[in-house]
Amino acid sequence: MIDLRSDTVTKPSDAMRDAAHDAEVGDDVYGDDPSVNELERRAADLVGMEAALFVPSGTMGNQVAIRTHTDRGQELVVDDEAHVVKWELGGVADLSGVQARMVDCGPRAVPTAEQVRTAYVEESLHRPGTGLLCLENTHNSRGGVAVGVDAIEEACEAAHDLGVPVHLDGARLFNAAVALDVAPEALTGPADTVNFCLSKGLGAPVGSLLAGPAPFVDRARRVRKLFGGGMRQAGIIAAPGLVALDNVGRLEADHANARVLADGLDTIDGLSTQDPDTNIVMLSVETEIHADDLVAACADHGVAFGARDASSARLCTHLDVSRADVTEAVDRIAAAVERLR
């Protein structure tokens, strides 16, 4: 099976397994785990932040950030396709008591300054006030778009002018940095906090980092405990994360493979793709074939990916998928489409 469902399906490398085996550990809730402490230090440095907090998942990192930034009842300004509102089980409402004011950002993937100003709600006797702007880079549901520095800066500046902090969901932040050929801190610097995942393109088996100013991270550590994320000898999973940080440089290979995949799929009658910025390929099914049926037929031909709706699907390249796998996947998908006609 050529598994293109997500970059989360990667298996840990031998180096990661060795790192887990040999990791120095301690009780992280007491701050005693040297591997976690080193991971947090390196992560903060990479994204230009003062401190970082190791969390089990990207969803937890985002939701801890939202809870730490906001007061209950406030509003969160966010793109209507953002991961934090579309794929995190309503956590903004359930965990933080925050209501989302959603903005259609379109292909740009982040709001303009005018959209930020229009969505802003001033606190009053009758209205809760805007507590946070949340951005996403790369933007998952909009096709792995790598949002440029200027667009990030514009949205952040508008929010800060209104006294609103900004959290950046950077689950695939390093994919954006590599695609745009900029340092990660160029993308994170305009924001107040950022969350990024180790368990996607970087290939670690588990874990994400929430980074920001030290006082914020201190408050977030307490929220992490509240959400059940206080871990003990977590060095066993932090040590593979340290190895994963060395994988940033190879992400361009995934991007190149995604472009080859998209070009190949475009040659199949009835299929078309959005030109990928990074490692996510958005596939449109422009025939009478239902996307669910295409996914099932492709699975029978040894290629796994997921439908988004009746006429679209998402495929994702990653470090466990080679160039040969990508070209083979195109041939298998073509055969599946032919079978369905």
Side-chain angles (χ1 to χ4, degrees):
M1 181 66 73
I2 300 172
D3 196 341
L4 300 172
R5 290 174 297 168
S6 176
D7 46 9
T8 62
V9 302
T10 58
K11 302 297 192 298
S13 64
D14 289 342
M16 291 179 185
R17 294 175 187 270
D18 289 343
H21 180 273
D22 297 334
E24 291 186 76
V25 300
D27 191 320
D28 180 48
V29 173
Y30 289 118
D32 291 343
D33 192 299
S35 298
V36 172
N37 294 342
E38 175 64 9
L39 177 61
E40 291 175 343
R41 184 194 64 76
R42 280 191 58 192
D45 287 346
L46 271 174
V47 296
M49 296 289 180
E50 190 176 11
L53 177 68
F54 185 42
V55 293
S57 71
T59 292
M60 181 176 281
N62 285 331
Q63 295 302 324
V64 167
I66 292 166
R67 178 65 177 262
T68 307
H69 274 298
T70 61
D71 294 327
R72 301 187 75 83
Q74 286 186 314
E75 291 193 351
L76 166 72
V77 175
V78 65
D79 176 47
D80 60 8
E81 290 289 322
H83 195 280
V84 297
V85 293
K86 193 171 183 180
W87 303 111
E88 297 186 11
L89 283 173
V92 297
D94 194 2
L95 299 172
S96 296
V98 170
Q99 60 186 14
R101 181 169 293 272
M102 293 187 283
V103 176
D104 181 2
C105 297
R108 175 187 169 93
V110 297
T112 64
E114 182 58 30
Q115 285 177 311
V116 173
R117 288 190 288 265
T118 299
Y120 172 74
V121 172
E122 187 172 356
E123 182 180 348
S124 71
L125 179 62
H126 304 287
R127 307 194 73 182
T130 299
L132 183 65
L133 170 65
C134 189
L135 308 178
E136 185 174 337
N137 199 14
T138 65
H139 197 300
N140 178 11
S141 290
R142 295 198 182 276
V145 172
V147 183
V149 175
D150 289 348
I152 295 287
E153 287 180 341
E154 178 186 335
C156 291
E157 182 178 357
H160 290 152
D161 285 346
L162 295 165
V164 176
V166 182
H167 172 65
L168 176 62
D169 173 6
R172 296 180 175 88
L173 171 73
F174 297 107
N175 289 90
V178 168
L180 297 166
D181 193 24
V182 298
E185 57 263 37
L187 299 171
T188 61
D192 297 278
T193 59
V194 60
N195 179 77
F196 69 85
C197 292
L198 301 168
S199 55
K200 293 186 169 69
L202 301 185
V206 64
S208 292
L209 278 301
L210 172 60
F216 175 91
V217 170
D218 287 343
R219 298 195 305 275
R221 193 175 299 276
R222 190 169 186 271
V223 176
R224 184 188 70 170
K225 183 70 161 61
L226 173 67
F227 287 179
M231 298 175 285
R232 300 301 180 177
Q233 288 70 41
I236 286 180
I237 53 175
L242 285 164
V243 177
L245 292 178
D246 295 328
N247 281 335
V248 172
R250 61 147 310 278
L251 291 174
E252 174 52 35
D254 296 342
H255 300 174
N257 284 338
R259 292 190 289 271
V260 170
L261 177 62
D263 290 345
L265 294 173
D266 282 336
T267 67
I268 301 172
D269 187 37
L271 303 184
S272 67
T273 64
Q274 174 182 315
D275 188 28
D277 279 357
T278 53
N279 67 322
I280 294 175
V281 176
M282 302 299 284
L283 175 67
S284 294
V285 185
E286 300 171 343
T287 70
E288 71 284 355
I289 300 170
H290 194 288
D292 285 336
D293 295 331
L294 175 63
V295 167
C298 288
D300 289 342
H301 282 73
V303 181
F305 58 95
R308 303 301 290 247
D309 53 37
S311 60
S312 68
R314 187 191 82 158
L315 302 88
C316 195
T317 57
H318 50 79
L319 61 80
D320 285 352
V321 173
S322 67
R323 178 63 58 86
D325 290 331
V326 166
T327 56
E328 176 65 20
V330 171
D331 291 342
R332 294 182 188 183
I333 292 170
V337 170
E338 185 63 29
R339 193 190 84 180
L340 289 169
R341 293 194 188 281

